[in-house]
Amino acid sequence: MYNWCRGENGSVMLTSILIFGLVATVLGAGIGFVTLSTRKQVERQVQAAQAHYYAKTGVELAMGLIYSHIDSLDAVLDTWYYGSIDQPFTTEPNNPPDHNIAFQISLLDDTLMINSRGYVRNSFNLSASEEAVGYVISLEQLRETIDQNHGGMPLALFADEMLKMTGSTTIMGNVATNANTAKTVVFEGTAHISQGELFIGVNGDPELVLSIPYASAPSKQIKVNNLDEKRVYPLPNFPQFPNDLPYRGSVSTASQDAFIIEEDGYYDLIQVVSDRKLEIDLKGGTRTLRVKNFKIEQGTIELRNVGSNSLLQLYVEDQIVLTGSSKVNEGGNPRTVVIYYSGTSEINFGGSTKLVGSLFAKQAKIVITDSGGVHGDIVTGGNNVTVEGNADVVTRVIYAPKASLNSTGSGKVKGTVIVASAVIEGDGCHITSDTTLDLTFFQSLDWPSGRAPSLLIGDVRARGSWQDKGEWRLGTL
């Protein structure tokens, strides 16, 4: 009897446990479904908010472009610009698209209209969320904001101690200096600043600081302001060179038509001569090379298997030679090549040489002459930068706070130049500011304060008054 009752009770208990377990499973599945559904809903909301933020950022970027082209708006109208917060903007999207922001500026009668789109992408680079924002502002309202402040505009040139422009030279964009003593900013001939303003040192008197050749000179029309405080541009810390790379001797195309570097390594010499080619295989990642002497005397260096985040890091100890019509990474992305140079010998980009990449020289002088060109950042602790002849520097930043800049002939620089002093002679436009600066390399350097110095003039927030003038609207996808 006892055993029977025990068995019955055990069966009832087992059945109860099974039923309870089944109910718990069903409830758990329901709760899990609700939790998963809620999580996906929250994820969609977060993505939509992020896309909206990108779209609003696109409006701000568009306004920056408008300010920099206020006297030549036709150049930026009815064109779509594609890019991301940390990537340069282009007028053609990548294939496949990988941009987070796209915007277009149009003009109807006297009203500017901005249509901006923000995209959040998944791990496959496909759009997971899209938002659009619109903004309209009249030209009259826009000009009112320009009259009220000078903030947030890119610098074309900062010359700490002195600026001299002669002949018919022109700088397009804003120019600043800490100079505030007599005749430290000198204009001769028809030299002048166009589409920008001049900012002189704190408490400087324009009548004393500026030297203008005659009453009707173009330089007489320049709007002059005072800096609110002295500007300081420190040098970033120069990196330590890697010392754990395998030794690989020397490489020279003198002995064979082509050569391929496929692994990291430490070289005594990398040399390209006789119009031959050296290929460097990045294998979709980062390739690190250290070399005593880097000589591209006549030939090309091309990169293979370049991924979206690939990088060639080249550490040069003693000498960099780039002569003739040699090319490094021609047609490539300047973000994929970074050269660090610790030597003292002058770096001369002469002939029709081209470097597509960025250079950080610890203490070397830089010369860009003839029809040589650099597409990337140049950072140096040296005391002289020379741009002469028909040099064409499609750069983002020339950052040489200890150097004197000598620009002669019809040499051209596009971007921002930071130097101790500047003498600009010859004719034509020597420096043109760029509102679409790609500051990825510049900002990635090891700055003493932990962050890169500003390359804008004035208080960035000061220009925010445009938001109070115009009207936010829904954009179109």
Side-chain angles (χ1 to χ4, degrees), residues 234-236 238 339 341 347 358-364 366 376-382 397-401 441-442 445 447:
L235 276 169
F238 194 74
I339 302 174
Y341 176 54
I347 304 176
S358 292
L359 169 70
F360 184 1
K362 185 176 183 179
Q363 52 196 333
I366 307 293
D377 293 348
I378 298 175
V379 178
T380 182
V397 180
I398 294 181
Y399 190 86
F441 171 73
F442 184 74
L445 297 174
W447 296 96

Side-chain angles (χ1 to χ4, degrees), residues 112-427:
L112 284 166
M113 296 173 288
I114 299 170
N115 188 37
S116 180
R117 300 169 183 172
Y119 304 86
V120 172
R121 300 188 180 276
N122 59 23
S123 57
F124 299 101
N125 233 10
L126 300 175
S127 177
S129 184
E130 301 176 10
E131 294 287 329
V133 170
Y135 188 79
V136 296
I137 185 170
S138 71
L139 293 177
E140 182 180 356
Q141 291 171 323
L142 181 67
R143 291 192 175 94
E144 288 174 0
T145 69
I146 296 173
D147 292 339
Q148 291 168 3
N149 56 73
H150 321 284
M153 298 301 295
L155 278 166
L157 171 67
F158 176 83
D160 184 26
E161 303 165 356
M162 182 273 289
L163 167 63
K164 182 178 181 179
M165 297 177 63
T166 68
S168 58
T169 55
T170 304
I171 295 176
M172 294 184 67
N174 294 292
V175 176
T177 177
N178 283 324
N180 60 4
T181 56
K183 300 187 184 305
T184 45
V185 177
V186 178
F187 296 95
E188 296 181 358
T190 58
H192 66 288
I193 296 168
S194 173
Q195 298 182 25
E197 300 176 8
L198 172 64
F199 294 77
I200 61 174
V202 178
N203 297 325
D205 182 348
E207 295 295 327
L208 297 176
V209 174
L210 272 65
S211 174
I212 295 175
Y214 50 93
S216 60
S219 51
K220 188 72 173 177
Q221 307 305 315
I222 300 170
K223 185 173 182 179
V224 183
N225 315 278
N226 287 101
L227 292 175
D228 294 329
E229 58 184 6
K230 183 177 180 179
R231 290 210 156 201
V232 177
Y233 285 101
L235 276 169
N237 298 314
F238 194 74
Q240 294 289 324
F241 281 18
N243 55 16
D244 57 351
L245 298 173
Y247 177 69
R248 302 193 186 277
S250 297
V251 169
S252 176
T253 62
S255 58
Q256 59 190 89
D257 289 345
F259 201 96
I260 301 174
I261 294 178
E262 298 179 290
E263 303 293 340
D264 296 350
Y266 180 26
Y267 293 83
D268 290 321
L269 172 69
I270 294 178
Q271 182 184 44
V272 180
V273 295
S274 304
D275 277 321
R276 291 172 177 165
K277 177 172 63 175
L278 171 64
E279 293 182 291
I280 300 177
D281 193 343
L282 304 188
K283 295 184 178 179
T286 298
R287 177 70 56 242
T288 303
L289 305 177
R290 179 174 175 176
V291 58
K292 291 182 179 178
N293 292 288
F294 182 69
K295 297 184 177 182
I296 315 303
E297 297 167 280
Q298 185 56 53
T300 61
I301 288 184
E302 296 181 5
L303 305 184
R304 296 174 56 178
N305 296 316
V306 179
S308 58
N309 295 308
S310 288
L311 177 65
L312 168 62
Q313 296 182 125
L314 182 61
Y315 297 86
V316 183
E317 297 176 14
D318 297 332
Q319 191 176 26
I320 293 178
V321 176
L322 189 65
T323 57
S325 57
S326 298
K327 308 289 189 293
V328 176
N329 193 33
E330 184 178 30
N333 188 330
R335 296 176 68 181
T336 59
V337 176
V338 174
I339 302 174
Y340 300 100
Y341 176 54
S342 62
T344 58
S345 297
E346 174 184 286
I347 304 176
N348 190 313
F349 299 95
S352 58
T353 57
K354 291 288 184 293
L355 167 65
V356 180
S358 292
L359 169 70
F360 184 1
K362 185 176 183 179
Q363 52 196 333
K365 297 179 181 179
I366 307 293
V367 176
I368 307 171
T369 185
D370 300 325
S371 58
V374 177
H375 187 181
D377 293 348
I378 298 175
V379 178
T380 182
N383 60 15
N384 186 262
V385 173
T386 299
V387 180
E388 59 187 11
N390 193 35
D392 188 7
V393 190
V394 184
T395 187
R396 294 168 293 198
V397 180
I398 294 181
Y399 190 86
K402 293 184 176 182
S404 58
L405 169 68
N406 294 283
S407 182
T408 62
S410 55
K412 295 178 287 295
V413 175
K414 183 178 181 181
T416 296
V417 179
I418 307 292
V419 290
S421 62
V423 177
I424 302 174
E425 304 172 304
D427 54 42

Side-chain angles (χ1 to χ4, degrees), residues 17-169:
I17 291 170
L18 291 173
I19 292 172
F20 178 80
L22 179 61
V23 171
T25 301
V26 172
L27 287 173
I31 293 170
F33 175 80
V34 172
T35 302
L36 180 61
S37 175
T38 302
R39 188 173 64 203
K40 287 186 175 179
Q41 182 179 3
V42 170
E43 183 178 353
R44 285 194 293 269
Q45 291 173 345
V46 170
Q47 290 175 338
Q50 183 69 45
H52 184 75
Y53 164 78
Y54 285 145
K56 290 197 70 173
T57 301
V59 171
E60 294 180 359
L61 292 169
M63 288 302 299
L65 199 59
I66 289 169
Y67 273 103
S68 65
H69 291 79
I70 191 62
D71 295 322
S72 56
L73 281 175
D74 288 345
V76 297
L77 294 178
D78 303 320
T79 299
W80 279 99
Y81 293 86
Y82 305 88
S84 301
I85 292 175
D86 60 346
Q87 294 181 358
F89 278 72
T90 63
T91 55
E92 293 289 339
N94 291 333
N95 187 16
D98 59 356
H99 56 275
N100 295 118
I101 299 170
F103 65 83
Q104 183 190 51
I105 305 165
S106 56
L107 179 65
L108 180 62
D109 296 328
D110 67 342
T111 300
L112 284 166
M113 296 173 288
I114 299 170
N115 188 37
S116 180
R117 300 169 183 172
Y119 304 86
V120 172
R121 300 188 180 276
N122 59 23
S123 57
F124 299 101
N125 233 10
L126 300 175
S127 177
S129 184
E130 301 176 10
E131 294 287 329
V133 170
Y135 188 79
V136 296
I137 185 170
S138 71
L139 293 177
E140 182 180 356
Q141 291 171 323
L142 181 67
R143 291 192 175 94
E144 288 174 0
T145 69
I146 296 173
D147 292 339
Q148 291 168 3
N149 56 73
H150 321 284
M153 298 301 295
L155 278 166
L157 171 67
F158 176 83
D160 184 26
E161 303 165 356
M162 182 273 289
L163 167 63
K164 182 178 181 179
M165 297 177 63
T166 68
S168 58
T169 55

